[in-house]
Amino acid sequence: YLIVPEIKNDSALPAFDKVIIYHHTYKHNYFYKSPVEDARKFYEKISLKYKIDVIHAHNLFTAFIASKVVRKLDLGFIYDDHETWSLWLKLRAKAGVGLNKFLRWYAYLRSIGIEKSIAKQADGIIVTNTKCIDFYKRLKIPEEKIISVENIALQEEIDEALRHEDLVVEFFNKDKRKKLVHVYHPHQTGKQGKKDDIINRQFDTFIEAQEQLEDWVLVLFGKKDPELEKRGVRFIDFLPRIAYLANIAKADVGINPLVLTEKTALSSQNRVFEYAKLGVRIISTKTPLLEENFGEKVIWFNPDEPVEKLVTILKNIEDYPTGKELQNYSKKFSWEEEMKKLVKMYERILKENR
């Protein structure tokens, strides 16, 4: 069963027996008492109706609601920490403007205690990589209760995308320039939106580099930004999953321009695994885990470094490991192996809660 805030039933994966919609608002994200209580009643009703054994919560806000339900109904409880949420909320608080600044600091300060309480209550904690385990060990959470499940691209999807030349948009076939690619998720307009856009990623240096090089172009998948278009950035609308991967595979370099923070220092980025398995060279910010996973197979460049360094890299791109080398190296990473850890956790928790 899948409980989600906003999704059309026909958009859910067929693996789910039933999709149940609950309208999750910003008030839940700020832990407001009345909305949280309303959600608790809804989750509780669903849990009883469908005889749920385990609740698997995929962020801090839903875990806060779920923690109240599992305590009352004595259910198994998995906390899936996609973001190391208190660190993410701290970043957002620092970027807050006006009333948002107050609300975000409130949410961050609340999250510190909530995150620790949920971690202690949960029967199992899932983190996105091994570097995040130490974060929870510092909260005195037993290591045996934690598993890391990397967001590695599913090989079936990669293979299907590489077969589908027919899904590649005309631009990739006709434009002869070398292509840098990434996804673009702009926030709302205005001062707050602009500050939020640079919390995690910064494209400015890459845009400056492509402006200096006639044979390179930055391609972003997502909603068009007229200001960036004026600077030569090419936008392609969001595509279905396989079509998106098929087009990424036609790029020369996939970029991962993370801003280094205490949160991104724990990051591994599923997009990097996609690039590698598709056979695309990678230019990325150097985070401890990415360096551990890929070593010198990735071209390291941080967004705050001089644009001249990036220009030199792009001019000499053939001197770096090829996409094919990276693709062969990435065979060591397997979602199927990661999934086994998750299944083992489910089996343990189901057995303990019988």
Side-chain angles (χ1 to χ4, degrees), residues 310-335:
L310 181 57
V311 168
T312 300
I313 289 171
L314 295 177
K315 283 182 176 179
N316 299 282
I317 196 67
E318 297 304 324
D319 295 342
Y320 295 92
T322 66
K324 189 65 177 176
E325 289 177 79
L326 191 55
Q327 188 177 47
N328 289 333
Y329 177 81
S330 73
K331 290 177 181 177
K332 65 186 282 190
F333 304 114
S334 164
W335 168 248

Side-chain angles (χ1 to χ4, degrees), residues 177-180 216 248 250-254 280-281 317:
R177 291 174 293 178
K178 297 184 184 76
K179 297 166 187 71
L180 301 156
W216 281 91
I248 291 291
K250 292 299 180 182
D252 296 276
V253 175
V280 178
R281 283 187 172 102
I317 196 67

Side-chain angles (χ1 to χ4, degrees), residues 66-290:
S67 68
K68 300 173 182 298
V69 178
V70 298
R71 188 181 295 117
K72 183 175 180 180
L73 301 184
D74 195 25
L75 305 177
F77 183 26
I78 294 173
Y79 175 41
D80 200 332
D81 173 9
H82 286 287
E83 293 283 358
T84 314
W85 283 95
S86 62
L87 298 182
W88 171 235
L89 291 171
K90 184 179 180 181
L91 272 181
R92 282 176 53 79
K94 288 181 176 180
V97 175
L99 178 59
N100 279 335
K101 191 175 188 73
F102 169 78
L103 291 172
R104 290 179 179 193
W105 276 107
Y106 169 78
Y108 161 60
L109 293 172
R110 290 271 337 251
S111 75
I112 298 171
I114 289 170
E115 191 169 51
K116 187 172 184 178
S117 174
I118 287 171
K120 288 181 179 296
Q121 182 187 356
D123 299 296
I125 298 172
I126 301 170
V127 295
T128 55
N129 61 69
T130 54
K131 298 296 182 187
C132 295
I133 292 175
D134 286 340
F135 175 85
Y136 283 97
K137 285 170 66 177
R138 287 196 294 271
L139 298 181
K140 303 194 183 312
I141 306 301
E143 188 171 356
E144 60 270 19
K145 198 164 86 167
I146 312 168
I147 63 170
S148 67
V149 178
E150 287 270 17
N151 290 320
I152 297 168
L154 189 64
Q155 192 61 46
E156 284 178 23
E157 291 185 336
I158 296 296
D159 293 341
E160 185 178 355
L162 292 173
R163 288 195 299 268
H164 273 287
E165 291 277 341
D166 57 305
L167 296 177
V168 177
V169 300
E170 188 177 12
F171 172 76
F172 274 96
N173 289 323
K174 289 197 170 182
D175 191 292
K176 301 305 180 185
R177 291 174 293 178
K178 297 184 184 76
K179 297 166 187 71
L180 301 156
V181 291
H182 199 275
V183 174
Y184 187 60
H185 290 291
H187 292 80
Q188 295 179 359
T189 56
K191 189 175 180 181
Q192 183 63 76
K194 288 179 180 178
K195 290 197 73 173
D196 286 344
D197 279 341
I198 59 173
I199 289 177
N200 254 3
R201 296 176 183 85
Q202 290 183 4
F203 295 100
D204 282 355
T205 312
F206 286 88
I207 296 171
E208 288 178 39
Q210 65 121 49
E211 286 176 322
Q212 295 183 33
L213 297 167
E214 292 183 357
D215 58 339
W216 281 91
V217 60
L218 175 60
V219 183
L220 297 178
F221 289 81
K223 185 179 178 182
K224 292 181 179 180
D225 183 320
E227 293 302 314
L228 297 187
E229 281 188 309
K230 290 176 184 176
R231 298 181 65 186
V233 178
R234 178 67 184 236
F235 285 87
I236 294 174
D237 288 338
F238 286 117
L239 298 169
R241 172 72 174 164
I242 299 303
Y244 160 74
L245 292 173
N247 282 273
I248 291 291
K250 292 299 180 182
D252 296 276
V253 175
I255 67 171
N256 183 43
L258 288 175
V259 178
L260 268 181
T261 64
E262 58 183 328
K263 176 194 171 292
T264 56
L266 300 178
S267 176
S268 60
Q269 296 295 303
N270 58 333
R271 195 159 291 112
V272 172
F273 290 108
E274 290 173 356
Y275 295 151
K277 287 191 169 290
L278 288 167
V280 178
R281 283 187 172 102
I282 300 168
I283 296 178
S284 173
T285 299
K286 184 185 284 190
T287 69
L289 189 75
L290 285 175

